[in-house]
Amino acid sequence: MPWVVGIDEAGYGPNLGPLVQAAVAVRLPDDDPAGWDSLKAVVRRAGGRWNRDSRLVIDDSKRVYHGDNALGRLERGVLSWYGFGGLTIADLIARIGLANALPDTHLEPWFVPDTRLERHDKAVAQPDFAAHGVELGPVVANVVHPPRFNKLVTAAGSKAVVLALGLVELLRHVLANTPGDDELRILCDKQGGRNFYAPLLQEAFPDGFVCAEVERMDESRYRVEHLSRRVEIRFTPRADAGSVAVALASMTCKYLREICMVQFNEFWAKRVPGLKETAGYPVDALRFLADIRAALLATGIGEEAIWRVK
């Protein structure tokens, strides 16, 4: 059975808060590479009556994170899938983040590491995946806060480099940490709208030889030869809609970003009475920055520490 690896990002567009990328590996039956049929007894897509179906809701994060208790829906799905009950935010970042994720997050002035998760909804019992012919593999996240984001963008002159470097790190981690020698089928959303990924993938797999099979707007597909296992990588628009692995990656990075934004908003709300929270996206981010400017000066936190340059 192949390992299907989903990769997605959350927070590429905002001016406030972190960019988060995640990779999730799931071993799936050969005849069900998307995973939805194998998992239909324990997993369902978003939509319908949320309170009348006990299965985990796994889907593109945009379909899960909306309406009342949006963060609770993300929280329940992510924590229950991985069996992550009873953790703090620092525990979660330490468990799934790349090496720099937790140290960088500790430098954020808003960070309260011992904050318990399950503030918005409770995790439920982790499904018995083995009973459905499914095995969980590694999950890893790249968390880039504004100081590191700005440093990378300033050096390269483009914010696309932040996505590219994160993708390389995630791919290297997946190759090194996914058990066995079964095939890796890596599914990614299009990264920053580009169509050509061969040089980037060659950097991620320096011991292999990257061969481009298709490079179009609707799909860019590659195979990597001369490695110890077969590796195929596909980049498609809206990949999260077609695969349980990419949907999980979408939900995981969105959840990590949003729990960081909860702490970010709480930090500034304590210093600015009546402050309206922000999701960090352009226009509203400018409003928020204007509202907290006096508090920024009072705390001695520089604007560059919270505002992403692009």
Side-chain angles (χ1 to χ4, degrees):
M1 297 197 313
W3 286 101
V4 179
V5 181
I7 297 179
D8 204 357
E9 58 81 16
Y12 185 57
N15 296 111
L16 299 170
L19 164 69
V20 183
Q21 297 164 280
V24 175
V26 185
R27 196 200 297 266
L28 294 165
D30 289 297
D31 60 353
D32 183 25
W36 301 114
D37 289 340
S38 301
L39 290 164
K40 64 184 178 182
V42 293
V43 164
R44 72 179 182 89
R45 309 294 290 271
R49 300 296 293 272
W50 294 84
N51 60 349
R52 294 192 178 181
D53 193 325
S54 61
R55 292 177 295 171
L56 291 185
V57 176
I58 303 296
D59 210 330
D60 173 6
S61 63
K62 296 180 184 67
R63 298 195 66 206
V64 179
Y65 186 75
H66 73 93
D68 295 338
N69 196 31
L71 185 53
R73 294 191 185 112
L74 274 180
E75 189 160 74
R76 174 173 286 228
V78 171
L79 298 185
S80 300
W81 176 276
Y82 300 119
F84 281 168
L87 299 185
T88 66
I89 185 173
D91 293 334
L92 180 62
I93 296 172
R95 187 168 295 193
I96 72 172
L98 291 170
N100 66 311
L102 188 57
D104 280 4
T105 306
H106 269 291
L107 295 175
E108 293 295 296
W110 48 260
F111 186 51
V112 183
D114 59 354
T115 299
R116 306 295 296 184
L117 300 179
E118 299 173 272
R119 295 172 67 188
H120 306 276
D121 208 336
K122 293 289 184 183
V124 296
Q126 184 183 37
D128 182 1
F129 293 112
H132 303 283
V134 173
E135 181 182 346
L136 302 193
V139 50
V140 63
N142 180 42
V143 184
V144 186
H145 295 289
R148 182 184 293 273
F149 187 98
N150 290 340
K151 182 178 180 180
L152 293 172
V153 170
T154 300
S158 167
K159 73 175 185 177
V161 72
V162 186
L163 277 183
L165 291 174
L167 178 62
V168 167
E169 289 190 75
L170 294 180
L171 290 172
R172 288 176 175 172
H173 187 280
V174 165
L175 183 64
N177 292 281
T178 304
D181 57 4
D182 293 307
E183 178 185 359
L184 294 180
R185 297 179 186 173
I186 302 171
L187 308 174
C188 307
D189 245 7
K190 286 276 190 175
Q191 302 281 302
R194 68 167 71 189
N195 296 322
F196 304 101
Y197 298 87
L200 186 64
L201 296 176
Q202 193 63 65
E203 185 178 349
F205 303 110
D207 296 328
F209 181 75
V210 175
C211 301
E213 296 185 335
V214 172
E215 293 181 313
R216 303 186 303 242
M217 289 184 64
D218 63 325
E219 179 187 28
S220 298
R221 185 174 72 247
Y222 305 84
R223 69 181 189 278
V224 187
E225 298 183 344
H226 308 312
L227 296 177
S228 61
R229 66 201 309 168
R230 178 180 172 85
V231 176
E232 179 186 272
I233 309 102
R234 296 186 181 207
F235 298 86
T236 58
R238 297 195 54 76
D240 42 18
S243 164
V244 68
V246 188
L248 280 162
S250 173
M251 289 178 63
T252 300
C253 55
K254 180 65 172 175
Y255 178 62
L256 265 177
R257 173 174 161 82
E258 291 307 319
I259 59 175
C260 288
M261 290 304 296
V262 167
Q263 289 203 346
F264 176 85
N265 279 296
E266 288 176 346
F267 177 88
W268 292 109
K270 291 176 182 176
R271 290 157 178 81
V272 182
L275 179 66
K276 180 183 175 183
E277 66 181 26
T278 185
Y281 288 85
V283 181
D284 188 64
L286 285 171
R287 183 274 308 169
F288 189 88
L289 184 63
D291 289 347
I292 68 167
R293 194 169 300 281
L296 272 175
L297 293 172
T299 58
I301 298 171
E303 183 178 312
E304 70 283 355
I306 68 164
W307 185 264
R308 284 164 32 178
V309 293
K310 289 193 178 182

